[in-house]
Amino acid sequence: MSWQYGLIKDMKKPECWIISSEFGVVMADKYPKAKHHYLVLPLADIPSVFYLDRCHLPLLNELYLLARKVVQVAAKGVPWEDFQVGFHAEPSLQRLHLHVISKDFVSPRMKTKKHWNCHNTELFVPFDKFCAQLEKDDCFSRLPKSLVENLLSKPLMCNQCDFAPDSLLDLKAHLYYH
Ligand code: AMP
Ligand code: ZN
């Protein structure tokens, strides 16, 4: 399906790059789920997290350097600690991509419970945890389908306090005032 190749298509256009290196490029997420949302993609043709092994750890560190740099140059004044950096455990688009997203999650594109839960449950694998798992297992395995479904439909919870909203609309209003 062609929509799965949207990132590969757009990363070929230098005008879409915010920064780049000999290892990868950073683009703005086209449908940002927070005030700041970037994607770091390797130039190497790696379809997804499921194609990585230990040998890729040095490349992942290069991608992480790009993540740090894009926050400095594109999100001026926003501290690094205000970002979460990691991979979706069940990505939908082709070409490996590291999410660099600000923890406010204030965005008109945050529209569904799935959008929330794929960034705020175990479906979002922080970079350090991901690398530790890759180091240990020499691969990153797909989560069982039933677990993915459970996590996607998990009750909403604020990422900054104990608030358990009744709806995404409530959560969005709450996040706005954080
Ligand atoms: P995922 O595959 O679940 O890790 O997420 C793919 C991400 O790519 C989502 O955050 C989308 O908003 C974003 N996205 C989809 N198409 C494009 C595009 N052409 N350029 C930049 N970002 C995109
Ligand atoms: Zn809260």
Side-chain angles (χ1 to χ4, degrees), residues 18-85:
I18 304 174
I19 53 168
S20 63
S21 75
E22 62 180 293
F23 301 102
V25 303
V26 186
M27 303 197 296
D29 193 291
K30 201 169 177 180
Y31 312 102
K33 307 302 186 297
K35 287 183 185 167
H36 306 274
H37 190 177
Y38 313 106
L39 301 175
V40 187
L41 304 106
L43 297 179
D45 182 11
I46 301 169
S48 74
V49 283
F50 307 120
Y51 291 76
L52 294 172
D53 60 34
R54 259 179 222 131
C55 301
H56 292 104
L57 285 166
L59 172 64
L60 293 184
N61 284 329
E62 293 294 339
L63 301 184
Y64 189 79
L65 291 180
L66 281 169
R68 291 212 65 131
K69 192 159 174 207
V70 77
V71 167
Q72 284 167 9
V73 304
K76 284 201 178 72
V78 185
W80 174 246
E81 293 69 35
D82 290 0
F83 280 81
Q84 62 185 50
V85 178

Side-chain angles (χ1 to χ4, degrees), residues 153-178:
S153 56
K154 215 173 154 174
L156 295 165
M157 276 290 299
C158 178
N159 63 330
Q160 296 159 70
C161 74
D162 292 339
F163 179 59
D166 288 332
S167 67
L168 186 69
L169 218 60
D170 284 353
L171 176 57
K172 283 170 72 85
H174 173 83
L175 290 170
Y176 188 76
Y177 288 103
H178 250 300

